[in-house]
Amino acid sequence: MSAIDEILEANRAFAKSFEPGPARAPRVAVVLCMDARIDPIRALGLPYGTANIIRTAGGRVVDALRSLSVSQAVLGSSEVAIVHHTECGMATMDDAGMRAKLDERGLAAPEGFVFHTFRDLEQSLHEDVAVYRASAMVRQDVPVRTFVYDVATGALREVA
Amino acid sequence: MSAIDEILEANRAFAKSFEPGPARAPRVAVVLCMDARIDPIRALGLPYGTANIIRTAGGRVVDALRSLSVSQAVLGSSEVAIVHHTECGMATMDDAGMRAKLDERGLAAPEGFVFHTFRDLEQSLHEDVAVYRASAMVRQDVPVRTFVYDVATGALREVA
């Protein structure tokens, strides 16, 4: 069975006993990786309705700015958490490696495209705070805190 | 207590009993909204390790292409599900409304910036398939299926 057909089957069971939670306003926007091993709602204990969860390859902020802006300006969130994680696929190669991987599949990125790979988790977090700070679309008067999530232990560590 | 301090407290409890699941390769990439009411892992029944979950405002594909490319070329996923949802904040206003909301907070978007609001869920899904189809960074030889998630019932409906 295809993964998507399995999703449809699982959703039929889910919807049978579904009850929406209480209406609440999001307090925090969390940016983290799309990694298949991370369950942010469980790992970070995010109650129904309270967190906008933005997920991108590597948890990089570069393609989260539109979403962060909407979360803050439209939905009213007023804290930001940026979470990168151990064993991240984005830390296994550089842009040349990415292009080689795409080429193997017959794919190609536009000239000059940057994949936002990284080598060091603290550096990638610092870079992403800088990307956040450079944007006029997001609030500079709210806490922006950064974390490393360890996929082996489930533990979150704050990075100053 | 701040939302992020609550996250740290919840994570300490989570990590105490954490056990990573079995190592598996992602089969599917799911693009969906950052909405605070959606718990994709529960709603779509996504087993540990099997789904890259990309979340953006509205579940719009425009800022998911880098992530989709990495999911397919590096991690090997070979199905795509794009999920938009009822009662989406991105369907409540147009770009002028977005700019007014940002302005209320002292924020501003770059000239020409598009927020990718929408009015009709089936149309937004069709647009996003077109965005996907126009990219050479993502596989055109895999299923790309589109869904509406109903936040009131928890049910997923496929849109042709």
Side-chain angles (χ1 to χ4, degrees):
Chain A
M1 198 189 279
S2 79
I4 293 179
D5 286 329
E6 287 180 16
I7 284 172
L8 282 168
E9 193 170 285
N11 177 257
R12 277 190 288 271
F14 173 82
K16 264 184 198 157
S17 59
F18 177 78
E19 290 195 29
R24 287 197 272 201
R27 299 172 65 198
V28 58
V30 182
V31 181
L32 79 173
C33 187
M34 67 178 177
D35 192 281
R37 295 163 294 181
I38 305 175
D39 182 346
I41 290 179
R42 245 52 47 184
L44 311 184
L46 303 171
Y48 180 92
T50 63
N52 288 131
I53 304 174
I54 302 157
R55 301 187 69 172
T56 72
R60 302 313 303 258
V61 168
V62 61
D63 35 22
L65 288 169
R66 180 182 67 90
S67 302
L68 285 166
S69 185
V70 170
S71 175
Q72 295 175 345
V74 179
L75 306 169
S77 70
S78 58
E79 298 180 54
V80 177
I82 304 171
V83 184
H84 293 175
H85 70 93
T86 61
E87 302 177 28
C88 186
M90 298 305 286
T92 59
M93 61 188 78
D94 61 8
D95 266 14
M98 283 287 169
R99 283 181 184 274
K101 282 285 187 191
L102 265 69
D103 191 56
E104 280 173 27
R105 298 255 184 218
L107 304 176
E111 207 181 310
F113 187 85
V114 178
F115 283 93
H116 299 281
T117 62
F118 58 89
R119 283 172 168 232
D120 180 87
L121 279 165
E122 304 208 356
Q123 191 187 323
S124 66
L125 286 166
H126 289 146
E127 282 173 14
D128 279 10
V129 170
V131 168
Y132 184 98
R133 292 297 177 210
S135 173
M137 289 174 64
V138 288
R139 290 178 66 177
Q140 302 300 335
D141 62 337
V142 298
V144 178
R145 294 167 65 178
T146 55
F147 302 88
V148 169
Y149 175 77
D150 187 328
V151 293
T153 67
L156 208 55
R157 172 171 67 83
E158 186 154 14
V159 171
Chain B
M1 195 188 283
S2 80
I4 292 178
D5 287 329
E6 288 181 11
I7 284 173
L8 282 167
E9 193 169 284
N11 178 257
R12 278 190 287 273
F14 173 80
K16 265 185 198 156
S17 59
F18 177 78
E19 291 196 29
R24 286 196 273 200
R27 298 173 65 198
V28 57
V30 182
V31 181
L32 79 174
C33 188
M34 66 177 178
D35 191 281
R37 295 163 293 182
I38 304 176
D39 182 346
I41 289 178
R42 244 53 47 187
L44 311 184
L46 302 171
Y48 180 91
T50 63
N52 288 133
I53 303 174
I54 303 157
R55 302 187 67 172
T56 72
R60 302 313 303 256
V61 168
V62 62
D63 36 21
L65 288 169
R66 182 183 67 90
S67 302
L68 285 166
S69 185
V70 171
S71 175
Q72 295 174 345
V74 179
L75 306 170
S77 70
S78 58
E79 297 180 54
V80 177
I82 305 170
V83 183
H84 294 175
H85 70 92
T86 60
E87 301 177 30
C88 185
M90 298 305 285
T92 59
M93 60 188 77
D94 61 8
D95 265 14
M98 284 286 167
R99 284 182 183 274
K101 282 284 185 188
L102 265 69
D103 192 56
E104 280 173 26
R105 298 257 183 215
L107 304 175
E111 207 183 309
F113 187 85
V114 178
F115 282 93
H116 299 281
T117 61
F118 58 89
R119 286 179 166 226
D120 179 86
L121 280 165
E122 304 210 355
Q123 191 186 325
S124 66
L125 287 166
H126 288 147
E127 281 173 16
D128 279 10
V129 170
V131 168
Y132 184 98
R133 292 297 178 209
S135 173
M137 292 176 63
V138 289
R139 290 178 66 178
Q140 302 300 336
D141 62 337
V142 298
V144 179
R145 294 168 64 178
T146 56
F147 302 89
V148 169
Y149 176 77
D150 187 327
V151 294
T153 66
L156 207 56
R157 171 172 67 84
E158 188 155 13
V159 172

